[in-house]
Amino acid sequence: MTLALTYANVEGRPAAAPTQLAAIAGANAREEDHVDPIDLAQWIKDGRRGLRVIDVREGVDTGTYVIPGAVVVPLDSLSSLSASPGDQLVLYSDGGAHGAQGWGLLRMRGIRHVRVLKDGMAAWKEDELLHPVLPPAADARGQELRARIRALSLWFGGQPRLGDPTAVLALPTRKAPRPRRRNTC
């Protein structure tokens, strides 16, 4: 709620109505403002209609990894971002702070369908999607979750691991041919 109040009292901007602030605070409390990296990956893979993934990191250059399909919009440019009623915006930054700040700014502008990638790029790349440690599959639900994470990780070029972080679970590969012996005298 502090973030929302901060945006409400920025120079020249009228303060938001208490009901609007209460709705924003409630969405924060219920974590309706977040999307898990696995769910976002599924939305991207499925081509979810109206999905717009926005990278709000500062100084992103061509050598920086960007989530496939995302557009780079620096945080200070979000105030002029246009969104259609059917758009589902997902913001992310390295961790989560700038994404959350962007979320607050867009909600204060009245844009309702905005989420933040939970734990940002760090979760996408290291913990949950590109290099996840697959959960135990003790029951059918666990097996389904494990298979989903594995499939999405591989689809995005990741390398899922089993319990031991050094064990990589990847698609089967062809064995390298054995070196040929030299025919010598």
Side-chain angles (χ1 to χ4, degrees), residues 80-96:
S80 61
L81 181 74
S82 62
S84 300
D87 288 349
Q88 172 64 66
L89 306 179
V90 176
L91 309 177
Y92 73 91
S93 57
D94 285 320

Side-chain angles (χ1 to χ4, degrees), residues 9 11 33 37 40 69 101 105 118 162 164 185:
N9 294 314
E11 299 172 21
D33 58 333
L40 176 60
Q101 290 169 346
L105 176 63
K118 189 173 187 175
L162 294 171
D164 173 11
C185 298

Side-chain angles (χ1 to χ4, degrees), residues 6-41:
T6 301
Y7 280 115
N9 294 314
V10 173
E11 299 172 21
R13 224 181 265 155
T19 55
Q20 185 181 14
L21 291 177
I24 291 171
N28 283 139
R30 293 184 301 277
E31 291 194 1
E32 294 171 356
D33 58 333
H34 287 81
V35 63
D36 182 85
I38 297 300
D39 291 332
L40 176 60

Side-chain angles (χ1 to χ4, degrees), residues 35-109:
V35 63
D36 182 85
I38 297 300
D39 291 332
L40 176 60
Q42 189 71 56
W43 294 353
I44 293 169
K45 183 178 183 237
D46 293 346
R48 185 176 185 167
R49 188 178 168 121
L51 178 63
R52 293 175 57 195
V53 182
I54 301 170
D55 186 330
V56 297
R57 294 178 292 174
E58 298 297 322
V60 175
D61 62 24
T62 57
T64 303
Y65 179 85
V66 175
I67 292 175
V71 296
V72 177
V73 179
L75 190 59
D76 61 356
S77 298
L78 284 180
S79 61
S80 61
L81 181 74
S82 62
S84 300
D87 288 349
Q88 172 64 66
L89 306 179
V90 176
L91 309 177
Y92 73 91
S93 57
D94 285 320
H98 283 149
Q101 290 169 346
W103 180 89
L105 176 63
L106 294 174
R107 286 299 305 262
M108 294 304 296
R109 286 186 46 213

